[in-house]
Amino acid sequence: MPIILSALGTTLAVALASCIGAAIIGFAFELIRRAGGLGGATTRFIIDFIRSTPVLAWLYFLYYVLPFYGIRINAIGTGIIALSLYYSGYLAEVFKAGIDAIPRGQSEAAKALSLSRRDTIVHVIAPQMLRNIAPPLGNYFVSILKATPYLAVLAVPEMLGRAFDIASEIYRYAEPLAAAGLIFLVLALLVSAGVKRLENQLLWSGTR
């Protein structure tokens, strides 16, 4: 257990960075898609393409193919970029649903008040959208946490990779993998509880 827990920091850092990256990219995708035109059509294709490919394909492509073109990224950086890109396609759909749930009159009222597009997004759309998307957003954040073991294929020292290292040394797989699974379960429950608390706070602030 101590050896596996020594990789907890790496697992959490990768998960947190990937969650932030996926949210930023996904929100940007949705804004571009809503703008329409060639950019919107291209973004729709990119989102569909991302959602139609497995995350392992992104990991292998970024880590083993890009170096042929002179682009080299370390293993942890590759993992963060791959998870961010992969889940950004799903989060773009979450953001779409959250924005669609906002009454159209909100944007029209902001326009009537001569608010800029940036102020409309930051002060009108985003706060209401967050209340709508908190549950599915939290579910995808848990999914990103559970996807960090994929980075073991790139020799990233995360918890499942450490568990396999122990198993290969003692020739017993049940105990180290069960320990890693237990830690992931606790982390997933903590994240879910945090998201639930955030959801309640957002709902409470929306009724004030």
Side-chain angles (χ1 to χ4, degrees):
M1 185 68 78
I3 297 175
I4 297 175
L5 284 174
S6 67
L8 177 61
T10 300
T11 298
L12 292 178
V14 170
L16 179 60
S18 300
C19 289
I20 295 173
I24 293 174
I25 298 172
F27 190 57
F29 277 164
E30 178 55 23
L31 292 180
I32 297 172
R33 179 167 59 178
R34 284 181 175 274
L38 179 60
T42 303
T43 302
R44 282 194 295 272
F45 171 78
I46 293 174
I47 292 173
D48 291 338
F49 176 77
I50 289 174
R51 296 175 63 197
S52 301
T53 53
V55 64
L56 280 176
W58 285 96
L59 287 169
Y60 282 120
F61 177 82
L62 294 174
Y63 195 71
Y64 293 108
V65 177
L66 288 186
F68 283 100
Y69 300 95
I71 303 175
R72 298 183 180 276
I73 310 172
N74 61 39
I76 293 180
T78 298
I80 293 173
I81 294 172
L83 292 179
S84 297
L85 287 173
Y86 181 74
Y87 282 96
S88 68
Y90 293 93
L91 291 186
E93 297 299 322
V94 173
F95 290 128
K96 179 180 183 299
I99 294 175
D100 288 343
I102 299 174
R104 191 175 184 85
Q106 298 286 333
S107 298
E108 295 175 351
K111 187 176 181 180
L113 293 173
S114 300
L115 293 180
S116 66
R117 179 175 174 81
R118 175 183 174 279
D119 288 338
T120 300
I121 293 173
V122 174
H123 300 294
V124 179
I125 302 299
Q128 299 181 74
M129 178 191 68
L130 287 175
R131 287 196 292 270
N132 296 331
I133 68 172
L137 194 65
N139 290 335
Y140 278 113
F141 283 172
V142 172
S143 297
I144 292 175
L145 174 64
K146 294 189 296 183
T148 55
Y150 283 118
L151 274 62
V153 301
L154 305 182
V156 172
E158 49 77 47
M159 290 193 297
L160 187 64
R162 290 296 191 193
F164 275 115
D165 291 339
I166 297 171
S168 64
E169 292 176 3
I170 65 176
Y171 299 102
R172 295 172 65 95
Y173 285 83
E175 292 88 345
L177 294 183
L182 178 62
I183 297 172
F184 273 108
L185 174 62
V186 172
L187 291 176
L189 292 176
L190 290 175
V191 173
S192 298
V195 171
K196 183 63 177 178
R197 183 175 180 180
L198 176 61
E199 179 186 358
N200 291 335
Q201 289 180 344
L202 290 172
L203 290 174
W204 179 80
S205 64
T207 58
R208 293 179 60 185

